[in-house]
Amino acid sequence: MSTKHTRLVVVGGGVIGLSCAWRAAADGFAVTLVDAAPASGASWVAGGMLAPVTEAWPGEEALLELGVASVALWPEYAARLGEAAGQPAGLRTEGTVVAATGGGDRAELDALAAHLGRIGRPVERLGGRELRRLEPAIGPDVRGGLSVPDDLAVDNRMLLAALRAAAEKAGVTFVARNAVAVTGTTVTCDDGEETAADAVLVAAGARSAALHPALDGLVRPVKGEILRLAHRPGAFPAPVRTVRALVDGRPVYAVPRDGGGLVVGATQADVGFDTEPTVGGVRDLLRDVERVLPGVAEFALLEVAAGLRPGSPDNLPLIGGLGPDGPLVATGHHRNGILLAPVTVEAVLALLRGAQVPPVARVADPARPTARSTGRRETAR
């Protein structure tokens, strides 16, 4: 597809939609982004981990390879975005450690390390004392864990601000409406207004399935709760690296922010479009993060929030076209929307130009058999 005088409508203003809109506009497309509240939703609530290795799971090797390819693109992506936006993109390169408390947790991490070694992704195993030498904030309940320096992180809210600024500077037109349907290359909004274009990209996260019948059953909301904590004078300093942990089989993570803050999360629930935080979710997160990082008991609790990740049946995203007359889609990224933004952008730009999608991204074709055939549902891990 030639970019000369080509009109593109992007439906959805999260990290994926904003990234694709910015880069398409910078490449010469006339881009309109339709979203009543861009830079909100799951992207606003996210922890910001860029962690393909520590998110790895046996049987999801294709997702691991896609994530590894994308995290390798992140430094260039962040530098280009920062230059285009005139403000930092929020990338953090300190790396990640994974901690285990009880013997069962240690055994599960050992099994993960062995699996990663078998598929050519070795990680460094550390004892509890070695972990505490790396991150003194880690408490005595931690028995051991892993060091994964290539799993990075990003401040999601700095990222969203930079994407909005870069998109505006590139000439993206923002339409503050909610899309309710996509038919061919026409987007219909909730006030009845229609926007026609030469191409449409559906990147509406968990609400994508309602926009086109071909997405029915392919994208679902997966609720996740987070806490934002702030360091207070006299409290033990926060870790420098992202700390992921298993606490009696329950996952928890703490992602550093500038100024000593932390984003804590890991809850997951298939409960539809429910975005209310729960007492139980907050209790579990506070209990488990304090087991790993005891000093957070003296931190301030700034925010409790919940968002809806866009899950897919096989946990791979959907990036491609919905048939010869359907729109393009970039959705279903589940826990990995921010991680996969760079590789998703490259795939979408290739589709817009009529070129081949990068080989590593072809596993995300919406027409793949596993997009409909598997009944697997993500569980917290």
Side-chain angles (χ1 to χ4, degrees), residues 31 135 151 187 189 194-195 226 274 304 335 376:
V31 181
E135 289 293 349
D151 271 11
V187 176
C189 294
E194 294 185 345
T195 302
I226 63 102
D274 172 12
V304 177
R335 297 169 63 93
R376 184 175 183 273

Side-chain angles (χ1 to χ4, degrees), residues 221-245:
V222 182
K223 181 181 179 179
E225 294 160 295
I226 63 102
L227 314 175
R228 294 178 73 89
L229 312 182
H231 184 266
R232 297 197 312 149
F236 199 88
V240 174
R241 297 164 182 82
T242 296
V243 177
R244 301 172 62 95

Side-chain angles (χ1 to χ4, degrees), residues 25 30 37 41 48 88 130-131 134 146 171 178 195 259 310 352 366:
E130 294 172 302
L131 276 177
L134 278 181
L146 311 172
N178 288 312
T195 302
L352 290 170

Side-chain angles (χ1 to χ4, degrees), residues 10-14 16-17 34-35 42 178-183 187-188 200-222 273 308-312 317-320 322 327-334 366 372:
V10 176
V11 181
I16 296 297
V34 178
D35 193 318
N178 288 312
V180 294
V182 175
T183 306
V187 176
T188 303
V200 173
L201 173 68
V202 176
R207 300 192 181 275
S208 297
L211 299 177
H212 194 280
L215 290 172
D216 184 34
L218 294 185
V219 184
R220 74 186 193 284
V222 182
F273 289 92
L308 301 173
R309 307 177 184 101
S312 75
L318 308 168
I319 308 170
L322 296 180
L328 301 177
V329 296
T331 188
H333 292 76
H334 197 235
R372 289 195 182 277

Side-chain angles (χ1 to χ4, degrees), residues 48-65:
M49 292 180 294
L50 311 176
V53 173
T54 51
E55 284 272 305
W57 195 253
E60 295 185 348
E61 287 73 25
L63 180 59
L64 171 61
E65 294 305 313

